[in-house]
Amino acid sequence: MSNLAQFDSDFYQSNFTIDNQEHSGDDSNAYGNLYESRKQQAGEQPQPASFLPSEMLMSPGYAGQFFQPASNSDYYSQSPYIDSFDEEPPLLEELGIHFDHIWQKTWTVLNPMKPADGSIMNETDLTGPILFCVALGATLLLAGKVQFGYVYGMSAIGCLVIHALLNLMSSSGVSYGCVASVLGYCLLPMVILSGCAMFFSLQGTFGTVSSLVIIGWCSLSASKIFIAALHMEGQQLLVAYPCALLYGLFALLTIF
C-alpha cells in the first residue's frame, strides 16, 4: 500500500491548492457578474439594427415628408435665368417687325400734311414695303396685267438711284435699307390707283389726272420723310423730283 501511495504521488504532481481553487472561483464569479451587468445594460438600451430604413429610425414626433425637399421661392425669384426669360423681347420685335411703327409710317404716307418722325422713319423696316409691292402686283394681276417682274425690278433699280442721290445731297448719309423702306411705304397710294384700274379704264382724262395726283402724293410723302430723317431742310423739291420720276414709272404700268 505504501508503494501504491508513493506511485500516486509520483504520477501527477501539481501546485494547485484549495486556496487557489477558492480564489479562481471568486474570479469567475466576478467575471460572471460583470457580464450579467453589461448584458442587462444592453437590454435596457437596445441598439438599432443596421438594416432598418431611416424612416423607422426617426422619432415618432417628426411630421415632415421624406425625400421631398421644400421649394425655395426666393431662389427661383432671384435666379438670373428666370429674369433673362422675362426680360426677353417678343419674337416679332427680334425679327424687326413693329406693328406700331408700321402703322405710324402708313398713316404718315396717307396724310401728306402730317409731319414725319425722323427717329422712326430712319429704320430698316421692309415688312410694309414688301407687303405693298405684293399688293401692287396682285391688283395689277386682277386687272389683267402680269407685271410682278417689272414691279420688283423697277423697285430695286429706283432704290439704288435714290440712294446714290441722297448720299450725294446729304452730309450724314443714308443706308440702302432705309431708302427701300421709305420708297416702299410711299407706294401705298399707287396700290389705290391700281385698285381703281380693276373697275374702270384709266386711259383717259380722268385716269391721267388721277395718275398725276397719285404721283404727287407718293413723291410728296417720300420727300417729306427723307427730309425729316436726314435733316435736309429746304431741299424737299430737289428730293421730290427723282421720287416723282420713279413713281411715274409705276403709274405707267398701272395705266397701260
Side-chain angles (χ1 to χ4, degrees), residues 60-74:
Y62 179 71
Q65 296 180 356
F66 299 99
F67 304 109
Q68 295 182 2
S71 61
N72 190 358
S73 60
D74 296 336

PDB file of all heavy atoms in Angstrom, residues 60-74:
ATOM      1  N   PRO A  60     -41.020  59.375 -33.405  1.00  0.00           N
ATOM      2  CA  PRO A  60     -42.436  59.399 -33.798  1.00  0.00           C
ATOM      3  C   PRO A  60     -43.003  60.801 -33.861  1.00  0.00           C
ATOM      4  O   PRO A  60     -44.045  60.999 -34.447  1.00  0.00           O
ATOM      5  CB  PRO A  60     -43.111  58.563 -32.708  1.00  0.00           C
ATOM      6  CG  PRO A  60     -42.184  58.643 -31.536  1.00  0.00           C
ATOM      7  CD  PRO A  60     -40.807  58.683 -32.113  1.00  0.00           C
ATOM      8  N   GLY A  61     -42.356  61.797 -33.260  1.00  0.00           N
ATOM      9  CA  GLY A  61     -42.886  63.153 -33.290  1.00  0.00           C
ATOM     10  C   GLY A  61     -42.559  63.919 -34.559  1.00  0.00           C
ATOM     11  O   GLY A  61     -42.997  65.044 -34.724  1.00  0.00           O
ATOM     12  N   TYR A  62     -41.787  63.327 -35.511  1.00  0.00           N
ATOM     13  CA  TYR A  62     -41.413  64.023 -36.751  1.00  0.00           C
ATOM     14  C   TYR A  62     -42.585  63.984 -37.713  1.00  0.00           C
ATOM     15  O   TYR A  62     -43.115  62.905 -38.024  1.00  0.00           O
ATOM     16  CB  TYR A  62     -40.183  63.350 -37.367  1.00  0.00           C
ATOM     17  CG  TYR A  62     -39.737  63.985 -38.657  1.00  0.00           C
ATOM     18  CD1 TYR A  62     -39.136  65.240 -38.651  1.00  0.00           C
ATOM     19  CD2 TYR A  62     -39.940  63.336 -39.869  1.00  0.00           C
ATOM     20  CE1 TYR A  62     -38.731  65.832 -39.825  1.00  0.00           C
ATOM     21  CE2 TYR A  62     -39.540  63.930 -41.049  1.00  0.00           C
ATOM     22  CZ  TYR A  62     -38.928  65.166 -41.019  1.00  0.00           C
ATOM     23  OH  TYR A  62     -38.540  65.752 -42.183  1.00  0.00           O
ATOM     24  N   ALA A  63     -43.018  65.147 -38.196  1.00  0.00           N
ATOM     25  CA  ALA A  63     -44.211  65.236 -39.049  1.00  0.00           C
ATOM     26  C   ALA A  63     -43.875  65.641 -40.472  1.00  0.00           C
ATOM     27  O   ALA A  63     -44.777  65.955 -41.243  1.00  0.00           O
ATOM     28  CB  ALA A  63     -45.205  66.235 -38.460  1.00  0.00           C
ATOM     29  N   GLY A  64     -42.623  65.681 -40.857  1.00  0.00           N
ATOM     30  CA  GLY A  64     -42.255  66.097 -42.201  1.00  0.00           C
ATOM     31  C   GLY A  64     -42.390  64.975 -43.215  1.00  0.00           C
ATOM     32  O   GLY A  64     -42.820  63.857 -42.894  1.00  0.00           O
ATOM     33  N   GLN A  65     -42.017  65.273 -44.465  1.00  0.00           N
ATOM     34  CA  GLN A  65     -42.071  64.304 -45.539  1.00  0.00           C
ATOM     35  C   GLN A  65     -40.663  63.957 -45.973  1.00  0.00           C
ATOM     36  O   GLN A  65     -39.814  64.823 -46.068  1.00  0.00           O
ATOM     37  CB  GLN A  65     -42.864  64.863 -46.727  1.00  0.00           C
ATOM     38  CG  GLN A  65     -44.326  65.136 -46.397  1.00  0.00           C
ATOM     39  CD  GLN A  65     -45.068  65.681 -47.599  1.00  0.00           C
ATOM     40  OE1 GLN A  65     -44.464  65.910 -48.647  1.00  0.00           O
ATOM     41  NE2 GLN A  65     -46.355  65.873 -47.449  1.00  0.00           N
ATOM     42  N   PHE A  66     -40.419  62.666 -46.223  1.00  0.00           N
ATOM     43  CA  PHE A  66     -39.107  62.185 -46.586  1.00  0.00           C
ATOM     44  C   PHE A  66     -38.899  62.295 -48.093  1.00  0.00           C
ATOM     45  O   PHE A  66     -39.835  62.121 -48.874  1.00  0.00           O
ATOM     46  CB  PHE A  66     -38.928  60.724 -46.151  1.00  0.00           C
ATOM     47  CG  PHE A  66     -39.052  60.535 -44.663  1.00  0.00           C
ATOM     48  CD1 PHE A  66     -40.240  60.078 -44.117  1.00  0.00           C
ATOM     49  CD2 PHE A  66     -38.002  60.839 -43.812  1.00  0.00           C
ATOM     50  CE1 PHE A  66     -40.369  59.897 -42.761  1.00  0.00           C
ATOM     51  CE2 PHE A  66     -38.117  60.657 -42.459  1.00  0.00           C
ATOM     52  CZ  PHE A  66     -39.308  60.196 -41.922  1.00  0.00           C
ATOM     53  N   PHE A  67     -37.660  62.598 -48.481  1.00  0.00           N
ATOM     54  CA  PHE A  67     -37.241  62.662 -49.871  1.00  0.00           C
ATOM     55  C   PHE A  67     -38.025  63.704 -50.668  1.00  0.00           C
ATOM     56  O   PHE A  67     -38.160  63.595 -51.867  1.00  0.00           O
ATOM     57  CB  PHE A  67     -37.382  61.296 -50.545  1.00  0.00           C
ATOM     58  CG  PHE A  67     -36.636  60.205 -49.848  1.00  0.00           C
ATOM     59  CD1 PHE A  67     -37.308  59.221 -49.152  1.00  0.00           C
ATOM     60  CD2 PHE A  67     -35.240  60.189 -49.868  1.00  0.00           C
ATOM     61  CE1 PHE A  67     -36.627  58.218 -48.514  1.00  0.00           C
ATOM     62  CE2 PHE A  67     -34.551  59.179 -49.231  1.00  0.00           C
ATOM     63  CZ  PHE A  67     -35.242  58.190 -48.542  1.00  0.00           C
ATOM     64  N   GLN A  68     -38.598  64.726 -50.040  1.00  0.00           N
ATOM     65  CA  GLN A  68     -39.317  65.806 -50.705  1.00  0.00           C
ATOM     66  C   GLN A  68     -38.801  67.138 -50.183  1.00  0.00           C
ATOM     67  O   GLN A  68     -39.358  67.702 -49.239  1.00  0.00           O
ATOM     68  CB  GLN A  68     -40.828  65.692 -50.482  1.00  0.00           C
ATOM     69  CG  GLN A  68     -41.435  64.454 -51.115  1.00  0.00           C
ATOM     70  CD  GLN A  68     -42.924  64.388 -50.918  1.00  0.00           C
ATOM     71  OE1 GLN A  68     -43.498  65.293 -50.341  1.00  0.00           O
ATOM     72  NE2 GLN A  68     -43.556  63.331 -51.408  1.00  0.00           N
ATOM     73  N   PRO A  69     -37.738  67.671 -50.758  1.00  0.00           N
ATOM     74  CA  PRO A  69     -37.205  68.947 -50.267  1.00  0.00           C
ATOM     75  C   PRO A  69     -38.166  70.082 -50.546  1.00  0.00           C
ATOM     76  O   PRO A  69     -38.826  70.125 -51.580  1.00  0.00           O
ATOM     77  CB  PRO A  69     -35.890  69.118 -51.053  1.00  0.00           C
ATOM     78  CG  PRO A  69     -36.092  68.285 -52.272  1.00  0.00           C
ATOM     79  CD  PRO A  69     -36.955  67.124 -51.855  1.00  0.00           C
ATOM     80  N   ALA A  70     -38.243  70.982 -49.623  1.00  0.00           N
ATOM     81  CA  ALA A  70     -39.138  72.128 -49.763  1.00  0.00           C
ATOM     82  C   ALA A  70     -38.590  73.088 -50.815  1.00  0.00           C
ATOM     83  O   ALA A  70     -37.389  73.304 -50.924  1.00  0.00           O
ATOM     84  CB  ALA A  70     -39.303  72.846 -48.424  1.00  0.00           C
ATOM     85  N   SER A  71     -39.490  73.626 -51.649  1.00  0.00           N
ATOM     86  CA  SER A  71     -39.090  74.567 -52.700  1.00  0.00           C
ATOM     87  C   SER A  71     -38.787  75.926 -52.103  1.00  0.00           C
ATOM     88  O   SER A  71     -39.508  76.418 -51.234  1.00  0.00           O
ATOM     89  CB  SER A  71     -40.210  74.697 -53.732  1.00  0.00           C
ATOM     90  OG  SER A  71     -41.375  75.198 -53.111  1.00  0.00           O
ATOM     91  N   ASN A  72     -37.709  76.501 -52.604  1.00  0.00           N
ATOM     92  CA  ASN A  72     -37.296  77.818 -52.126  1.00  0.00           C
ATOM     93  C   ASN A  72     -37.704  78.849 -53.160  1.00  0.00           C
ATOM     94  O   ASN A  72     -37.104  78.953 -54.228  1.00  0.00           O
ATOM     95  CB  ASN A  72     -35.778  77.838 -51.905  1.00  0.00           C
ATOM     96  CG  ASN A  72     -35.336  79.086 -51.182  1.00  0.00           C
ATOM     97  OD1 ASN A  72     -36.146  79.961 -50.862  1.00  0.00           O
ATOM     98  ND2 ASN A  72     -34.043  79.174 -50.906  1.00  0.00           N
ATOM     99  N   SER A  73     -38.767  79.581 -52.880  1.00  0.00           N
ATOM    100  CA  SER A  73     -39.266  80.580 -53.829  1.00  0.00           C
ATOM    101  C   SER A  73     -38.288  81.737 -54.007  1.00  0.00           C
ATOM    102  O   SER A  73     -38.235  82.354 -55.075  1.00  0.00           O
ATOM    103  CB  SER A  73     -40.625  81.116 -53.372  1.00  0.00           C
ATOM    104  OG  SER A  73     -40.500  81.712 -52.086  1.00  0.00           O
ATOM    105  N   ASP A  74     -37.504  82.033 -52.976  1.00  0.00           N
ATOM    106  CA  ASP A  74     -36.534  83.122 -53.099  1.00  0.00           C
ATOM    107  C   ASP A  74     -35.452  82.789 -54.122  1.00  0.00           C
ATOM    108  O   ASP A  74     -34.964  83.655 -54.835  1.00  0.00           O
ATOM    109  CB  ASP A  74     -35.889  83.427 -51.739  1.00  0.00           C
ATOM    110  CG  ASP A  74     -36.921  83.929 -50.734  1.00  0.00           C
ATOM    111  OD1 ASP A  74     -37.960  84.455 -51.191  1.00  0.00           O
ATOM    112  OD2 ASP A  74     -36.681  83.791 -49.521  1.00  0.00           O
TER     113      ASP A  74
END
